[in-house]
Every structure is written in C-alpha cells, then in structure tokens.
Amino acid sequence: MNRTSLFLAFCFVIVLTGCELLPTYIVNDLNIIQGYGYDLSKNNKLKGIFLYPVYKGPNEPPTIETITGNGETSKQARSDANMKVRHPLVSGQIRLLVLGKSLSEKGIYPVMDTINRDPAIGTLIQIAIVDGQTKDILTLKSKKKENIALYIQEMLVQNMEMGKIVKTDFNTFMYQYFQKGKDPYLPIIKKEKDEIMISSLGIFKKDQLKTEISKEEFFIFKCLVEKFEQAIQQFTLKNGEKLVI
C-alpha cells in the first residue's frame, strides 16, 4: 500500500471514529424547553420555571408540563429543576423568556449573557417582563389546554407586526444593550382575571428596568422608533368626539 492510500485509510478511520463519538438522542427521552421564566426570590436568588411538552403517542396531543428550580444563577436554577424530572431538560426549541419585574429592576444581564453564550438557544426568542410572578403566567389555568409559551410568543409577535408594540426580541435587546446612545425596551405583560394582556412597555437603562410607557403612549413611541403601516389609534378631538385612524 502506497503512502496516499495509507493516508486516506487513516483519515477514513478517524472520520468514522468521530461519528461514533457524536451523541444521539431520542426525542421522547428529552424534555424540550419551549418557554421559561425567572423571578427574584426573597433571598436574592433566582427561581426558574421551565415549560415543556410531553408527547404520549402519535395520535395524542402533547400535555404541557412545568418544573421549577432555584439557584444563585440561571444555570444553577435549571440544574436544580433537572434533578426533579425523568428526562433531561434541553433548550433546542425555546420560544419565550419571561422575567419578573423585581428581577428586571435589579438587572437582567447575568441571565441574558448566559442565554447569549448558549449555542442551542436561538437569538430571535421573544422576551417579556411580567408584572407579578412568572409562575402565575406560565401556569395560567384558563390556557391549560394550550402551549402558553407559544401563545404568548404569538401574541407578542402579532402585536408588533399588526399593532402598536415596537418590534423587539432577544437579539434586538442585546444589540441595544451594547450600542452607545440606545436604551433597550421590552413589553410588560400581566395576568388580568383569566387572561394575559400587554399592559405597558418597559424602558431599561443598561440592564435595569427604569420606567414604563403606558398603552396610550404606544403609538407615539412606535412612530419615534420605527416605520410601520398597520395599527389602530384613537384620538379625542377638542369637541370631545372620538377619531380612529
């Protein structure tokens, strides 16, 4: 055997060995996180809640389960939650991240930086601040039959595309955070009776929530920030009549 053939045979063996070292997973043996949230607990630690579908059979709709974990960091909170489930929690399909208001006021960069460093998480996930506890949103009984993470994600997207909410996502937030002269902003949602609604828009200084813009000011803020063609806005004329554009 000449040197060329020997070299090619050696490379072939290396490639085959490398393929065997790649991990293989069965979807039914994974808990694929699609939405999660973090709150600031009383002892200044993080309390995380993770939402994932459980597939029972080919002709049965998945059930949506949640698990909670605690820790000093977001990774530790997820590790704590992972100890309570049968299958490992993985982040390949995350669509939504919600953050408690108290955590947002303290600073959310540690959580955002962890996400930014995780190659399994896409940068276009939707983010929202919760006026209250994230658990109350992600375990809302009236939406039990739905995937609440996808529901909130789609609610945010359609209001950004067809309504008065400015467009934002994880990638936009990180760009604004590092850009000089820009302040990040995120929608704020809350539970009202048995429904979820967008209540205001949070304005950040660096990674800390500093002020809010009310729904009545959404239209003006969006006009200042971006160009858009589809939305509805009501004005009150001097004579008291209502004008809708």
Side-chain angles (χ1 to χ4, degrees):
M1 182 181 293
N2 58 36
R3 291 184 178 181
T4 303
S5 300
L6 184 63
F7 176 74
L8 291 175
F10 176 76
C11 292
F12 187 66
V13 171
I14 293 296
V15 169
L16 289 179
T17 304
C19 292
E20 290 180 358
L21 293 175
L22 292 175
T24 56
Y25 299 105
I26 300 173
V27 174
N28 291 340
D29 293 339
L30 299 173
N31 290 326
I32 304 175
I33 303 169
Q34 292 187 338
Y36 62 143
Y38 290 105
D39 285 301
L40 193 64
S41 61
K42 294 180 180 179
N43 54 2
N44 277 335
K45 291 186 177 181
L46 288 179
K47 182 176 182 180
I49 178 168
F50 307 88
L51 182 148
Y52 55 92
V54 175
Y55 299 93
K56 296 182 177 180
N59 299 321
E60 296 182 46
T63 59
I64 307 301
E65 303 290 340
T66 58
I67 191 72
T68 60
N70 298 279
E72 294 180 347
T73 64
S74 57
K75 284 287 188 182
Q76 188 180 21
R78 176 169 157 179
S79 177
D80 183 56
N82 200 60
M83 295 181 186
K84 304 174 186 177
V85 291
R86 178 183 179 186
H87 302 303
L89 295 166
V90 296
S91 16
Q93 291 186 2
I94 292 178
R95 298 292 183 268
L96 176 75
L97 168 66
V98 287
L99 301 164
K101 201 170 185 179
S102 58
L103 174 62
S104 302
E105 291 171 345
K106 180 184 178 183
I108 61 175
Y109 180 74
V111 175
M112 304 292 276
D113 184 52
T114 301
I115 298 172
N116 198 37
R117 294 172 184 271
D118 191 341
I121 302 178
T123 57
L124 298 180
I125 61 175
Q126 286 298 324
I127 310 174
I129 306 303
V130 175
D131 189 356
Q133 296 292 309
T134 60
K135 185 177 181 180
D136 296 337
I137 292 289
L138 295 181
T139 59
L140 192 63
K141 290 183 179 180
S142 63
K143 307 297 181 185
K144 187 64 177 177
K145 295 183 180 180
E146 299 189 57
N147 187 323
I148 191 68
L150 300 183
Y151 178 90
I152 296 175
Q153 180 217 15
E154 292 169 358
M155 179 186 72
L156 294 172
V157 170
Q158 76 91 359
N159 276 280
M160 291 174 188
E161 294 179 349
M162 306 294 292
K164 296 177 287 186
I165 302 296
V166 288
K167 293 180 180 178
T168 185
D169 50 35
F170 178 83
N171 193 42
T172 302
F173 183 94
M174 295 303 290
Y175 169 77
Q176 292 170 337
Y177 175 81
F178 288 108
Q179 188 75 8
K180 291 184 178 180
K182 285 185 175 289
D183 291 319
Y185 43 78
L186 291 173
I188 298 177
I189 61 176
K190 70 176 182 179
K191 184 182 76 169
E192 190 167 281
K193 295 183 179 180
D194 291 329
E195 295 296 331
I196 301 170
M197 63 173 294
I198 302 171
S199 59
S200 57
L201 184 73
I203 307 297
F204 287 73
K205 182 176 181 181
K206 288 294 184 179
D207 68 332
Q208 294 179 318
L209 178 64
K210 291 298 183 180
T211 188
E212 297 179 35
I213 292 177
S214 65
K215 290 188 293 184
E216 291 73 23
E217 299 171 313
F218 283 175
F219 179 78
I220 296 174
F221 187 79
K222 188 161 185 172
C223 287
L224 294 172
V225 172
E226 64 184 55
K227 294 181 180 179
F228 67 105
E229 297 178 352
Q230 299 188 52
I232 296 174
Q233 176 67 16
Q234 177 176 292
F235 298 92
T236 303
L237 302 180
K238 288 182 179 181
N239 59 6
E241 292 184 359
K242 306 297 181 182
L243 174 65
V244 177
I245 298 178

